[in-house]
Amino acid sequence: MSVAIDVDAGFLNGIRKIADEFAAVNADDVDRKARFPVEALDALRADGALSALIPTELGGGGISFEAVAAACFELGRRCGSSAMVYAMHQIQIACMTRHLADAPWFEAYLRDVARDQRLIASVTSEVGTGGDLGRSNAAVTPSRDGNATFEKQAPTVSYGLYADDLFTTLRRTPDAEPGDQVIVLTHKDQMTLEQTGTWDPLGMRGTSSPGFVVRAEFSTDQVLPTPFPIVAGESMVPVSHLLWSHLWLGIATDAFDRARAFVRASAKQRPDQVPPTAQRLSHLMSELSLLRAEVNSALRDFTEASATPDRERLSTMASILRFNNLKIAASEQAPRVCQGAMAIGGIVGYKNDTPFSVGRHLRDTMSAPLMIANERIHERNALLLLIAKDV
Amino acid sequence: MDPESGMGERVRHIILQHGRLPTDIQALEDHADLYQAGMTSHASVNLMLALEAEFDIEFPDAMLKRSVFQSVASITDALERLQVSAA
Ligand SMILES: Cc1cc2nc3c(=O)[nH]c(=O)nc-3n(C[C@H](O)[C@H](O)[C@H](O)COP(=O)(O)OP(=O)(O)OC[C@H]3O[C@@H](n4cnc5c(N)ncnc54)[C@H](O)[C@@H]3O)c2cc1C
């Protein structure tokens, strides 16, 4: 137990150092140029952080999920885009490590990830189905030699051009229904990516997420044996919501810290008076603590539910509702905190080139409600509420 | 008709009405996977509500899982565990 805690602590020290020395110093340039945060990702690779979640038996770091969530928070405090890239990669890793049963190809693959620090991007959304994770158009299509192919029209693939591998949702066969999905891991040298658009968004600019037509030819071993709906319910959805929320909390925390630095600077100029902004800072602290409480309690709930036999609790409706609520609450609260920080700093918060700037924070967190549209999640919740008993 | 097949028929009828399957339910085996046959998660909730109404029961949360509504057989089994009689 204490060994595991030491390993986690050592990992997090390394992450904080990378966040300060590589993510923070490049964050504005990454944002301005909408470029991939190559410095932070190189440093994370050099540190072995891309395989943190992989068990030590497979050559990985054996780091706890809680520590990886904390890493997303720490990176988020310094560069939202670097944190998002790291979080998305870990989501893919979690989907594999949690569903390895009868998947020898994937065990060998995770060893490769650990050895070579391969970076994995995800292709779940699709032209035509939008953010509906539970339906695909593109299908695994048998080809000659017992191999398979697919072609998927992907509207948004973060760091698609920088990833070593893609994790793609597809219909099981060309005849399968849209909800009969599997997930497939393919390597760069098995694919062509035809870019279909540009990436010049409001925030999360460093995620480098244009659209692509992805074409691949691969061995059928590269299809994860567990059906995708189970992977999604027990892992991809809750893990995404948790890791995203942690980094949104990180961004909001840094916005709060910048507003606090601004209030302290004004207090030092007139030590005999409490600046009027101090009271607004107190209001903002309440908003931030609500966000932190939701994120922290969701992590505890997930850890407990993951430990139930067969992760039984994670497949209940109460659990689906719980992690959907986390996503909705955190994605709405994080930009609210950033906006509050901007109101405190006034013009120096609004300008992009002061120590109190929070424009990037606000823009980055504004992507949160639409990364899987909240209205889509509300629609699903509304349906589940008709039948769920304990919520 | 023995009671079990009677229950199976009632379950099939409700799936026909609410499962919104693109395939013919009568052509499916008792153990065939309804999700693979095209039942969406949305339709599965409608099916749960319809089963609760038809058999005048409430599925406890522990039963509201994908695996329980995966096939005619698993649904019949769940109803039996709730001690619904086919009469
Ligand atoms: C920074 C960033 C990075 C991303 N990276 C990736 C990636 O790497 N891989 C990937 O696959 N995807 C990625 N995405 C896409 C993301 O996961 C979502 O799929 C996408 O943002 C949803 O797009 P949409 O708004 O067109 O979709 P939709 O969900 O189709 O929503 C369109 C509109 O319809 C509304 N709407 C949808 N459903 C309902 C409903 N039921 N009731 C009422 N209104 C509804 C929404 O509110 C929205 O206004 C990324 C998105 C962002 C912002």
Side-chain angles (χ1 to χ4, degrees), chain A residues 295-309:
Chain A
V295 171
N296 290 349
S297 73
L299 181 60
R300 265 198 314 279
D301 290 347
F302 177 72
T303 311
E304 282 172 22
S306 291
T308 53

Side-chain angles (χ1 to χ4, degrees), chain A residues 142-160:
Chain A
S143 72
R144 57 201 155 75
D145 318 329
N147 281 353
T149 62
F150 72 77
E151 174 174 325
K152 182 161 177 172
Q153 317 278 329
T156 333
V157 184
S158 293
Y159 54 95

Side-chain angles (χ1 to χ4, degrees), chain A residues 84 88 92 121-126 128-133 152 154-160 167 169 199 201 203-205 207 209 244 364 366-380:
Chain A
M84 185 53 88
M88 292 204 230
Q92 319 316 318
S122 93
V123 189
T124 53
S125 22
E126 185 168 14
T129 62
D132 185 353
L133 200 63
K152 182 161 177 172
T156 333
V157 184
S158 293
Y159 54 95
F167 212 23
T169 48
W199 178 249
M204 285 294 176
R205 293 170 58 79
T207 59
S209 317
W244 292 347
D364 280 355
M366 284 176 81
S367 69
L370 57 118
M371 261 186 101
I372 309 293
N374 282 357
E375 252 353 275
R376 209 179 258 292
I377 301 179
H378 275 300
E379 183 203 32
R380 178 135 180 80

Side-chain angles (χ1 to χ4, degrees), chain A residues 203-204 247-252 291 330-339 358-370:
Chain A
M204 285 294 176
L247 73 95
W248 297 331
L249 173 63
I251 300 171
L291 174 59
S331 67
E332 287 175 0
Q333 189 69 353
R336 200 177 290 144
V337 170
C338 295
Q339 199 173 353
V358 289
R360 170 166 53 81
H361 303 66
L362 180 57
R363 289 183 288 102
D364 280 355
T365 51
M366 284 176 81
S367 69
L370 57 118

Side-chain angles (χ1 to χ4, degrees), chain A residues 135 172 176-177 179-180 227 229-230 312 315-318 379-380 383-384 386-391, chain B residues 22-23 35-43 45-46 48-49 52 58-62 64-66:
Chain A
R135 282 187 309 136
R172 182 186 300 280
E177 293 301 322
D180 185 10
I230 293 169
E312 203 172 19
S315 56
T316 63
M317 292 204 173
E379 183 203 32
R380 178 135 180 80
L383 186 71
L384 297 186
L386 298 178
I387 190 87
K389 307 300 181 301
D390 305 320
V391 295
Chain B
T23 40
Y35 293 99
Q36 273 187 23
M39 183 168 71
T40 63
S41 56
H42 190 134
V45 174
N46 298 141
M48 293 169 198
L49 282 168
E52 287 194 347
E58 289 214 339
F59 292 108
D61 260 346
L64 293 173
K65 289 190 298 199
R66 194 181 166 82

Side-chain angles (χ1 to χ4, degrees), chain A residues 18-19 30 38 95 109 121 161 175 181-182 199 205 214 221 225 232 242 255 309-310 313 322 375:
Chain A
I18 292 168
V30 161
V38 60
C95 288
Y109 170 71
L161 291 178
D175 308 322
Q181 294 165 292
V182 289
W199 178 249
R205 293 170 58 79
V214 183
D221 293 342
L242 279 159
D310 296 330
R313 208 186 306 159
R322 201 270 164 267
E375 252 353 275

